[in-house]
Structures are given as C-alpha cells and as structure tokens.
Amino acid sequence: MLSFRTTGYNGYGVRYSPFYDNKVAVATSANYGLVGNGRLYLLSINDDGSITQDNIFDTQDGLFSVAWSESHENQVLTSSGDGSISLFDITLSKFPVMNFKAHQREVFSVNWNLVEKHSFCSASWDGTVRVWSPMNSDPLLTLTSAKDHSVIASAPGSKMAPPLSAKPSLENTTNDCVYNAVFSPHDANVIISCNSASHLQIWDIRSPQPLQMDFIAHGGLETLSCDFNKYRTSVIATASVDKTIKVWDLRTISGVAHAGSPLQPHHNVGPTPLNRFIGHDFAIRNIAWSPHSGDKLLSCSYDMTCRVWNDQTDDKARFLNKTNHGQACVNVFGRHREFVVGCDWSLWGEPGWVASTGWDEMVYIWDAKRKY
Amino acid sequence: MERLSQIGNHLTSAAASDAVEKAKAKNPEDAVIVKAYRTALTKGGKGKFKDINSDVLLKKLLDGLFQTLPGFDKSIIEDVVIGNVLNPGAGANEHRAAMLAAGIPSSTPFMAVNRQCSSGLMAVNDIANKVLTGQIECGLAGGSESMSQNYGPKSAPVISPEILRDGQAKKCLIPMGITSENVNEKYTIPRSDQDAFAASSYQKAEKAVKGGLFKDEILPLEVEIEADDDDDDDKEPKKTTIVVDTDEGIRPGVTAASLGKIRPAFKKDGSTHAGNASQVSDGAAVVLIMRRSLAEKLQLPVLGKYIATTIVGVPPEIMGVGPGYAIPKVLELTGIPKEAISVFEINEAFAGQALFSVKRAGIPLEKVNPRGGAIALGHPLGATGARQVATIMRELKTGELGVTSMCIGTGMGAAAIFVKE
C-alpha cells in the first residue's frame, strides 16, 4: 500500500492515467468541498514505492471530479463547484488550456468517452447532463429530464410511501441533481446518469428524444453513482444513500417509462435488480467496475471504507453451480479516516491495483486482492 | 450552505427508513413547540389560586408567556385552542375573553375543547395538526382549569333516562374513583403496589422541587389573596399580592408505609384513597406551536417537535386502562419502538390505573414520570395534557423522544410523541 497526503485539501476524485502506467490525477477541495478553493494534483508512483507530486493546479472553487483525456496523454479534465469544467495540460502550469462553462450549479462528475475518444459528458446539480467536445467551449448536447421528480417511490412491502430522501430546494425545485453520468464503454452514444430523485436514466445521444429508459433505482433514496460493466454490455451498477449497490441487466428491465413518458404507476417501486451488495454502513459515494474482470466492483462510502465485491451473477459464475451468498464482499479497505469519496482501478500491471481518496486528505494506492 | 445540506442529505437520509431518525429529522414543514409553560399547580378549594377562575389563570399565564417573547407579534397566532373540562361550555366564552385580554387580537379565532382529562393534549394535537396540514402557521394550545371554582355537584354529569336504559351507556355515570377500584379488582393490583407507586411519585416530585427542576416550566403568577387572619365580617377583607411559583400538592416525606394508613375513599374494602389518587387542583398550561420554517424566520429557539397523537376508546367502567392501549397504538402508528422513548409522562389519575397501563404497554417503571405525576403534583383536569407537554420538554435531553399519555373519563386513552431538540 502506498500513500500520499494532499495536505489542506480533501479528496473528491481520483483517476489513473490511460497513457502512463504510473500517473494518477486527484481532484481535491479545501474545507471538505463545502466552500473555498480546489486543487488538481498530478502524482507519479515511483519504482521505489514513493509517490511524488508532478504538478498542481489551483482553482477558484472546489473540484469534485477528474477524468483523463482518452485522446491526449497530457490532458486532464476537472469539474468544479462553480459549474465550470476545465481542461488542463499537465506539462503546463497554473492555468487550464480550455474552460467549459454552461452548467448553472455544481458539476459532480465528468467522464470521457472511451469508444469515440473525442467527447466527454458531465453531470450537474442543475439537473442536466451535457455532452461536450474538447474543441468547443459550448456543449454539443444538453440532456434534460423533463419529468415529474415529485413522484414518490414506495418501498416493497410497506404501506407507507417513503418520501424522497432529498427534498426539493429553492435552487432545485424539481429535485433532480444529477450526481454521475458515464459513457458506455461499448457504445459511443449511450450514457447512463443517476440523480437525487433516485432515478437511473439511459440516454442515446443519437436520438431526437435521447431519454431511452428511466426507472427508480433505489426506492426514492438518492442514487449517487453508476457505472457500466466493462465486459457485459447490458450490465450496470448503481450505488445509493440506501447503503446498497444494485447490479442491473438493462435487458430485464421492462414496463418502466420510456422516451419521456411518465413513470408507470405499477412500477413506482422500480424494477428488480440482478444482484444487490449489502455491507456498507453509510451512503455509497462512488463505484467502479473492474477493467480486468466482469465480476469485480470497487466501491467507496461515507462509512470510511472501500469495498471490493464479487458479482455472482456474472455469466461465468452461473455455470459454477454453487451458491456463494454472503461471500459477495471480498475485501474491505479501512485505512481511510474520513469519508471515502473517490476510487478507481488501475489499468496497468498486475490486475487489482486501485486508488482511493477521501476527506482525510489521503490518496491510497492498494491491491484489491490483499487484506490490509 | 446549499452544498452542505445536499451532501448532508447523503448521511442523514441514510437512515430515512428508520422511524426514529425520521422523527428526529428536521424539516421546514414540521410542527415545533417554541414555548411551553405552566402555572404552579395549587390545591383545589384552599390553594393560592382558589379565588380566581380559569379565565384569570389563563390570562395571567398568557401575559407571562408573552413576556418571554419580547417583540413577538401576537397577530401571527392564527388559532387559539384551550382545553377545559368543568366550565360551562368548556370555557368557550370566558377563555376567548381571556385570550383577548392577554392582547391577542380579535382577528385570531378561539376554540374551546373538552375531551375530559386529555383536553390540554387535544388542544396541542389540534393546533399541531393544523400546522402540519398547512391550515395555520402558528397556533397557541393549552388548558386552564379552576377546580376550586367549578368542581362539585354542579359538574356531575346529567344523562337522560332514555339513554341510561342502555347498560353500556349507564357506565358513563360511574364515578372515577369507582372506575379505579374496578381496574384494581379486575387486574388484581394490590394496594401495597399502588401505595409504593404513589409514594415514589411524591418522592420524585419532592426531589425535583428541591433540585429546582420545575423552575424553568413554571411561570410565576402574581395573584391577590385575602389575608383572612380575622373573621370580622364588617371589615373589608384585606388583600395582599403574592407570587405563586411553587406546586402546592407535593408533601415531603411521604412513604408507602405512611400512605398505608389512609382509609379507602370510594369503597370500604377498596384500595384507592386520597394518597394514591390524583389531587384536586387549579392550574393552567400553554404551548406555542408553529411551523419550523416560521420559527426559523422569527429566530425563535425550538423546544421540541410534535410527532403524532392517537386516542383510543376503552370500556367506561375501567376508563383508567386508556394509556395502556393508547401508547402502543401511537408507537405502532409511527413505527417507533418503545425502547427509543426516553420518558413516558403518564397522568396518574390513580396509582392502580397508572400501574396497569405501564405494565400493559411494557414500559420500565424508571422511565415513567421521572419528576412525579398527578398524585404528587395535582391534576387540574383540562390543563393536565398541556402541563405534561411543558414538563416532558424539560425532562427530555436534546434528541430524546418522549411520550405523554393519560386516561380519559367515560373510557378513553390518549398518547402523543414529541422529540426534544
């Protein structure tokens, strides 16, 4: 396990470079991201196990997410609390090479298109997902879910409908802060996003009506993170304030709203997931499927742990003809001393290396297969 | 700050499915208690409030309440509901007058409620629910009772003979003391247990008074009393002004053994007596309730949050069992486990019914009436419900949940849950 301290700045996002096997970008914010500056760290992992700081960029507002360019080895995107997205060249200093400003509120995630490599998407608390080209400071496309998010999902087996865990606020009356939006690694035109009204939305940016599917993923509780499985094209995972991670096969989700139609009343509970990971003690902030294996998922949570999960519903596991209930959580990483907010898998070397960062100002590089 | 609350939601709502967390959660639309005060409870017929009626008590208490709220615009009170049992029409006229005399404008409506001993709590329930539904933003609930002035033969119920032909209906005439004996017999509650419970009520109250624990909830009232040290009828009685700020019912040094000597009051072979039944008292209590958003706007500190009330019916001849049924129902309604409740303020109409209710609801005795109950403090009928709210708001620590409950004459029970903030 290797570590680096981002003194004075609380970690929000961490990403391994897709070009250099030893570079990591970390998005951080002063004062826990509640108010104040942000800082982008570019770190190098050295052969002797030390981590050194290559470069830093200070920003006006806190940074909440980071993404490496898939087309240029020195470019990194950050998203900020003031609604701006910036593209930095890590060989330069101080200022970004490009600014993208269209979001009205905090941008909580940026994600580079892995297939087409010339576009990226962003998710914001202003309720929109935007698609951008790095060449153009205006967004290519804005995905807005013109839906009634006051719809209340009811928990199964309960007579009383739980209210949405996030209340509509003055700044967001429709209660649809989008927390995360990611491109499919299989199709350059598909995006999934999740929001504070517990909705998981699937978009096809080729379509004049991009919203393809929309369902309540976590029974009314805020859904904070979502990710596409890198091996199974129709499988995604979502993570929520309800402390669970759900694995979904999009092919099995039927009878829910399509293309802007209101949610069907018989589906106010939301469809049934393929699998559910229970173990975190508090809301789960970020999840990532492994780049090396279709059944491994990494998660990090407000309970100060990262966990590694083994998804038994993976196609390969089906033929193993044995049940492994209760063995889904294969590793718990408990070194963080505060909320763990960002995590990522390394694409390089021996499969299983991961990076995590959190409010304890620490970046840890650790092996998902080892117990610490 | 918007960012803080959005991220804070991730943590606080993680347990949103948990009823206790939900009860403790602070939402702008909550009905919250901003102020809860009571008068001292004085002895009926001979106490310091014996010469004034319930309207004067209420007016003086409201004056005291508004003194604690400097600069408060009384016209924002959108409804006043006052509980009372013995006055004709439950004080609909004189308490409206008292409210106006206390400076609340005539544009604020008034309602008198009478659900017997729960009237004060019904007033709180009524105002809190009106706040919760958005009918009003701020309301005043309370109760006022002068048993000195209005208790007696004239307060005995009158039921038409035609109705009384029905066996069940006739039971509504059973005196309260006999209903207590019925409970004691039916559930075989020995007198020794009752006396021990009553003695502990006296001891707890005595300790609470010594510790000054009632100081915060009692507003001292100035009243004129006749100094009757001579019996000369020709002289105009001399009047002196005194301040009443201490409960009169609490007797020091009461033990189960000393109570054991008292003769039964209602039945020769009975076990209910003057020492293990509630006292006849005068007193009033008021509770100011508003939407949390309004309290925040006015920058008024919040005492507690109203959660829910339930009222149940029970057979009239054993009316005292009411809390034993009402408490489980309100806990079931809200999904809050009884273990999550820190204090149960249960009106001690009689020691026997209180003991049965505690047992049926499965409550540990040490959580019941930590500062004594009506046996030691007194039971001004219509005011008791609001009095218990004022008391429980001081008994609970921040973040704790409390239940207040009482039995109701003619066979009912009421229970309500509050959160202290």
Side-chain angles (χ1 to χ4, degrees), chain B residues 382-405:
Chain B
T384 289
R387 193 280 296 170
Q388 289 180 320
V389 175
T391 304
I392 205 164
M393 278 299 135
R394 273 79 183 185
E395 286 168 333
L396 296 170
K397 292 189 209 66
T398 299
E400 287 185 339
L401 277 70
V403 164
T404 164
S405 178

Side-chain angles (χ1 to χ4, degrees), chain B residues 356-375:
Chain B
F356 168 81
S357 299
V358 166
K359 206 172 156 193
R360 186 177 187 282
I363 305 164
L365 256 183
E366 57 272 19
K367 280 189 181 177
V368 177
N369 302 352
R371 296 182 186 175
I375 290 174

